[in-house]
Amino acid sequence: MQFEETDIPAVKIVTPKKQGDARGFFSEVYKQSDWDAAGLDYRFVQDNHSYSAPVGTLRGLHFQTPPVAQDKLVRVIRGRILDIAVDIRRSSPTFGRHVAVELSAENWRQLFIPAGFAHGFVTLEPDTEVLYKVTSLYSPAHDRGLAYDDPDIAIEWPAPPGGLILSDKDKRWPRLRDLADAFA
């Protein structure tokens, strides 16, 4: 398993080895001992699976507040996304900055996003499926979000001709400057 730093060192690109032959392929997409060897001491407790039919489906920017903040490991099993992680840790030197990484079934990359980051993605292909592991169970009482179109963050979301498709909930999240301090 290969671990790469991004422009924000806490966010990592994780690429599992993939071995193929005439029958197809085999890959260990997660192996605790590899994470331990890389100094990444996380324990995942829940797997989530999302399916998005149309191109331009935007999910995010989401996070959970302490004490059930979530670290995430995101991968695509069908299709392609632009995955975004925004640093919302007020004391961080990279506060308000974001990382954008393309993940696809073809490139086999995964993105590790630690707690203290808002996370979202937009689909770049139809019928995209995303799997992600989290380190805390989902808690509606701690579910929060950040405005996907906050001009202070300036994420360049690719959009199809018809525009982005968002849930009503994702259209109403506050801007970063109005976000309650959840992470020091």
Side-chain angles (χ1 to χ4, degrees):
M1 202 162 290
Q2 181 181 350
F3 296 88
E4 302 170 59
E5 284 193 359
T6 64
D7 290 339
I8 300 177
V11 178
K12 310 262 188 253
I13 298 170
V14 181
T15 308
K17 291 179 184 169
K18 193 175 186 183
Q19 300 161 353
D21 60 25
R23 301 168 297 164
F25 70 86
F26 174 81
S27 181
E28 292 177 344
V29 296
Y30 176 79
K31 188 175 180 183
Q32 185 65 50
S33 61
D34 287 350
W35 281 68
D36 292 343
L40 299 169
D41 185 25
Y42 297 92
R43 299 292 182 256
F44 295 102
V45 298
Q46 180 176 314
D47 282 3
N48 299 319
H49 186 159
S50 87
Y51 167 77
S52 301
V55 171
T57 299
L58 193 153
R59 296 180 184 267
L61 298 160
H62 304 143
F63 62 95
Q64 279 191 185
T65 58
V68 290
Q70 294 177 322
D71 307 287
K72 296 179 179 179
L73 179 61
V74 182
R75 70 187 190 105
V76 173
I77 61 166
R78 180 168 59 163
R80 189 165 56 99
I81 65 172
L82 182 65
D83 206 20
I84 305 288
V86 179
D87 191 346
I88 58 173
R89 303 168 299 170
R90 295 258 178 216
S91 62
S92 170
T94 57
F95 174 75
R97 288 183 37 207
H98 69 277
V99 170
V101 177
E102 186 175 301
L103 304 179
S104 69
E106 185 177 320
N107 72 19
W108 211 240
R109 298 162 109 192
Q110 301 178 73
L111 192 63
F112 172 71
I113 304 160
F117 285 76
H119 170 247
F121 62 85
V122 64
T123 58
L124 304 174
E125 292 183 6
D127 300 316
T128 293
E129 293 187 64
V130 177
L131 295 177
Y132 58 101
K133 297 180 165 311
V134 293
T135 56
S136 292
L137 299 176
Y138 175 68
S139 171
H142 297 86
D143 186 24
R144 302 287 187 279
L146 176 65
Y148 77 98
D149 58 353
D150 185 334
D152 294 333
I153 300 170
I155 298 170
E156 293 183 26
W157 296 101
L164 296 170
I165 302 163
L166 289 92
S167 71
D168 288 340
K169 181 177 166 181
D170 285 347
K171 292 176 184 176
R172 294 190 303 263
W173 293 121
R175 291 175 61 172
L176 184 61
R177 68 178 176 208
D178 300 322
L179 197 63
D181 290 343
F183 299 94

